[in-house]
Amino acid sequence: MSDIVLKEVSKSYGAVSVLDKVSMHIQSGEFIVFLGPSGCGKSTLLRMIAGLEECNDGEIFIGGERVDQLPPNQRGVAMVFQNYALYPHMTVRDNMSFGLENVKTPKAEITRRVEDAARMLEITQLLDRKPAQLSGGQRQRVAIGRAIVRDPKAFLLDEPLSNLDAGLRVRTRLELAQLHNRIKATMIFVTHDQIEAMTLATRIVVMNNKKIEQIGTPMEIYARPATRFVASFVGSPAMNFVPVAAVSDVGGKAAITFAGQQPVQTAVPVAGLPTGNLTLGIRAEAARITHDGTGIKGVADVIERLGERTLVYTKLLDGTILVAEDEGISTIQPGDNVSIALDGNAAIVFDAAGKAFHAAV
Ligand SMILES: Nc1ncnc2c1ncn2[C@@H]1O[C@H](COP(=O)(O)OP(=O)(O)O)[C@@H](O)[C@H]1O
Ligand SMILES: [Mg+2]
């Protein structure tokens, strides 16, 4: 049992509030990602779970035990930092053994655990090197290895991939997913990179402005964002947002008109939808260029050719830019008049405060 429960955890530095009544229940064995823009409090929250920052208010439980008053070494969690924090004068083996020696683990046990972890991470041949003789990716593995040997109840990882170059980052991400599949430990991973969050998480905690915006599986977060902030933070290209000119009720569902366009039938129930100041949200893959002149109208502005598809940044009649998709081999040129079919079933409506209204499930 190594579930982690946060109950109304708050933090301020002096008069500045950083986290406000954050609550969540992380199941044993989950891979949880804290995702949010820089400065939203992800590291602070992780460090509070680790015991490196005090809580001003609230309670933290790990494996059923209340831990928020315990020192870090009694919480049974291991932290992996962005800068690895390896001791430069020690070998890899000593870096990995150090924490266990401190708690007086028998020597033979230390050797066994270090060698098991090294094998798992494929760094056996590096055990006698010093950190300066390792690549960034190898240092990263050593930092994870040092956490594994402690057999923690949970791994806490703060942006562990952000110092790696792009290719290595993708490989290390994959390794981390494989490692989690093998050891099935509870992991909390902090990142501001939505692709890392989408690819690694069993559930994503989207944070913004001291609070949790939404907790959900990657596809829940992607397809049914709770707020406009979540919708705009996850997904690339970012979701399109188009101002709504008028709403009419067609069989209980909202038919939505943009300035000067034909209505788009959505699956969003009209009941409960506030009046005035609405925005329609739609992803580029649900906005297809038509080649028969049907759909809403605009003028192609920028064309991005991605190989398997083409993104067409289209200026609508009201000046809004809508990113639509066309085939990989697209003949569209900047300045062309284009028509776009929107998949109304994938459309989301947002009110003025950014709250999302979805089709019924
Ligand atoms: N020791 C500190 N003293 C004062 N403010 C801090 C301290 N640590 C972090 N903060 C502030 O708390 C906020 C959250 O920081 P942090 O948790 O590091 O964000 P993130 O990891 O999401 O980028 C930021 O506004 C940051 O400036
Ligand atoms: Mg941080």
Side-chain angles (χ1 to χ4, degrees):
M1 267 290 283
S2 49
D3 61 336
I4 299 174
V5 178
L6 309 187
K7 286 188 183 161
E8 304 207 333
V9 168
S10 297
K11 177 76 183 176
S12 25
Y13 291 106
V16 181
S17 163
V18 178
L19 292 165
D20 185 23
K21 293 192 175 160
V22 168
S23 298
M24 71 184 80
H25 188 165
I26 297 171
Q27 306 289 339
S28 187
E30 272 199 284
F31 197 129
I32 290 288
V33 174
F34 292 172
L35 174 69
S38 185
C40 73
K42 306 177 296 294
S43 295
T44 303
L45 189 57
L46 197 72
R47 293 169 61 83
M48 286 162 79
I49 296 170
L52 302 173
E53 296 281 352
E54 276 179 37
C55 297
N56 296 128
D57 213 350
E59 300 172 3
I60 302 177
F61 298 82
I62 299 176
E65 184 191 2
R66 175 128 184 224
V67 299
D68 48 87
Q69 304 297 328
L70 296 180
N73 61 5
Q74 288 175 32
R75 297 192 184 193
V77 297
M79 186 124 174
V80 178
F81 299 92
Q82 176 181 348
N83 57 10
Y84 321 132
L86 300 176
Y87 295 106
H89 59 284
M90 290 187 189
T91 62
V92 167
R93 184 188 298 277
D94 292 343
N95 264 289
M96 287 169 71
S97 309
F98 185 69
L100 295 179
E101 282 163 6
N102 269 353
V103 296
K104 311 248 179 310
T105 310
K107 258 207 148 45
E109 172 73 10
I110 295 178
T111 305
R112 189 187 63 76
R113 287 205 210 172
V114 168
E115 287 179 359
D116 282 354
R119 209 167 314 122
M120 185 185 294
L121 296 163
E122 296 176 3
I123 53 173
T124 304
Q125 73 286 7
L126 307 177
L127 283 174
D128 297 315
R129 289 201 198 167
K130 300 255 174 78
Q133 299 165 298
L134 304 176
S135 71
Q138 291 169 332
R139 277 180 220 167
Q140 182 57 61
R141 284 195 225 176
V142 174
I144 293 173
R146 187 175 51 181
I148 289 177
V149 296
R150 294 179 47 198
D151 192 22
K153 291 182 195 151
F155 291 82
L156 309 179
L157 304 110
D158 194 352
E159 309 240 11
L161 308 183
S162 55
N163 285 352
L164 306 179
D165 64 47
L168 189 57
R169 211 166 152 150
V170 173
R171 283 208 301 285
T172 312
R173 189 172 85 203
L174 198 63
E175 284 175 10
L176 207 53
Q178 290 166 333
L179 180 70
H180 179 254
N181 287 344
R182 272 206 304 278
I183 65 179
K184 306 240 173 346
T186 309
M187 291 190 175
I188 306 179
F189 179 106
V190 163
T191 185
H192 62 273
D193 181 324
Q194 51 101 12
I195 296 181
E196 282 176 15
M198 287 294 290
T199 51
L200 285 168
T202 50
R203 283 190 304 156
I204 299 174
V205 177
V206 184
M207 297 172 60
N208 183 36
N209 197 14
K210 301 182 270 189
K211 282 193 163 41
I212 294 177
E213 292 266 332
Q214 187 173 7
I215 303 180
T217 65
M219 283 316 287
E220 280 164 5
I221 297 283
Y222 185 81
R224 296 179 72 82
T227 62
R228 180 165 168 164
F229 174 82
V230 174
S232 59
F233 199 75
V234 175
S236 176
M239 184 180 281
N240 292 299
F241 298 106
V242 187
V244 172
V247 178
S248 56
D249 183 337
V250 177
K253 310 281 172 59
I256 283 177
T257 311
F258 307 137
Q261 306 279 5
Q262 295 290 317
V264 177
Q265 182 62 51
T266 74
V268 179
V270 173
L273 215 53
T275 50
N277 224 337
L278 301 176
T279 305
L280 182 131
I282 190 142
R283 296 208 181 269
E285 69 262 27
R288 301 285 310 177
I289 299 286
T290 64
H291 296 281
D292 60 3
T294 58
I296 64 168
K297 307 281 181 267
V299 177
D301 186 9
V302 176
I303 317 285
E304 284 184 349
R305 298 180 196 282
L306 303 181
E308 84 289 4
R309 62 197 166 119
T310 302
L311 299 177
V312 182
Y313 289 71
T314 307
K315 195 174 239 184
L316 302 181
L317 302 176
D318 65 357
T320 304
I321 296 289
L322 179 113
V323 186
E325 276 195 17
D326 197 12
E327 281 93 64
I329 297 173
S330 170
T331 55
I332 293 174
Q333 300 294 333
D336 285 357
N337 288 314
V338 295
S339 303
I340 300 165
L342 299 185
D343 175 4
N345 287 320
I348 303 168
V349 179
F350 298 93
D351 70 10
K355 180 178 186 299
F357 295 82
H358 295 275
V361 272

